[in-house]
């Protein structure tokens, strides 16, 4: 009976972390340890929140977009306290973001990245795939029209560069939602990084990025052929599209993990643009950290470390169907 109780308690903790916080229990524990020095309350006030509660409150918001959560200890936190937790955790993660979001721009660092991309559709020399997405925000007080996008809501335009394994190599979340993709590219620093101090013709790194039709064609940024006339150009476009798709997949996985970035999951981020941008950066860092630790990848619903028998059975059925009908 005791063994059964311990097993159920362990299951409940794992289920809570993956289903509610969208991160594994081990990673949540690691975050509490890593951020402890930033979050520890140096106060004798008996109502001061423990670090674990501060981290959990922030992760719950990232995962759901809500200040409240279904767990008992979160239900006792006021919205003001939850907002304070979110700010502290976001600032602490952003101060460490360069540990988890890294884009190797030296000539020596791109071989593995290029091999990963070449394995998708045979496209050589790719260092990353670039894509933009909108993250909805509240109506800004300053220059609101600049943030009103063509889809009819206020947003940040978030540009990411993704690796072949869908980790995020670079993120820029500073542009208003009405900005063109080419403008986001120009403000992101990627051009300076790729062209180096010597200007065009003196690249700082071998290889190139892949971008969509909205991006300008550059020696380091390859776009599709607009009107392909030869079979080779059509094959180039097909390989380009298949390879660049990882950027969209990375953004989809990011928004599935952290619903605060996904407008379909609820209201827009109720923050000013610069604070919303910090939340985007923190979520990208956490997403990469989760992938690095072998945590849930944001694709299918989390498997809860193999404890979900229904999910595991579903995987077997799906794989059998793929093998029998789609080979």
């Amino acid at each position: 009976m005791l063994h059964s109780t311990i097993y159920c308690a362990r299951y409940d903790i794992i289920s809570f972390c993956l289903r509610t916080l969208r991160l594994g229990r081990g990673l949540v524990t690691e975050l509490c340890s890593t951020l402890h020095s930033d979050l520890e309350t140096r106060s004798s006030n008996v109502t001061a929140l423990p670090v674990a509660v501060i981290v959990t409150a922030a992760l719950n918001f990232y995962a759901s977009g809500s200040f409240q959560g279904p767990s008992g200890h979160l239900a006792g936190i006021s919205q003001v306290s939850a907002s304070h937790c979110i700010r502290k955790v976001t600032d602490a993660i952003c101060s460490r973001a360069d540990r988890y979001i890294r884009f190797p721009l030296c000539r020596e660092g791109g071989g593995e990245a290029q091999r990963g991309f070449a394995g998708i559709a045979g496209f050589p020399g790719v260092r990353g795939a670039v894509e933009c997405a909108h993250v909805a925000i509240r109506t800004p007080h300053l220059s609101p029209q600049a943030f009103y996008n063509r889809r009819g809501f206020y947003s940040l335009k978030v540009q990411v560069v993704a690796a072949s394994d869908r980790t995020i190599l670079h993120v820029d979340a500073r542009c208003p939602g009405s900005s063109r993709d080419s403008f986001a590219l120009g403000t992101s620093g990627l051009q300076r990084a790729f062209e180096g101090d010597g200007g065009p013709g003196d690249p700082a790194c071998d290889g190139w990025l892949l971008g969509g039709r909205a991006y300008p064609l550059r020696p380091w940024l390859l776009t599709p052929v607009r009107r392909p006339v030869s079979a080779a150009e059509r094959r180039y476009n097909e390989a380009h599209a298949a390879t660049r798709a990882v950027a969209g997949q990375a953004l989809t996985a990011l928004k599935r993990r952290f619903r605060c970035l996904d407008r379909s999951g609820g209201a827009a981020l109720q923050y000013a643009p610069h604070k919303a941008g910090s939340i985007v950066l923190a979520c990208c860092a956490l997403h990469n950290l989760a992938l690095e630790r072998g945590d849930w990848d944001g694709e299918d619903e989390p498997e809860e470390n193999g404890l979900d028998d229904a999910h595991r059975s579903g995987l077997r059925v799906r794989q059998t169907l793929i093998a029998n009908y789609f080979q």
Side-chain angles (χ1 to χ4, degrees), residues 233-254:
E233 288 178 339
R234 287 190 289 271
R235 285 194 294 269
Y236 165 89
N237 276 4
E238 291 170 359
H240 185 285
T243 307
R244 181 174 171 265
V246 299
Q249 293 161 2
L251 284 166
T252 297
L254 176 70

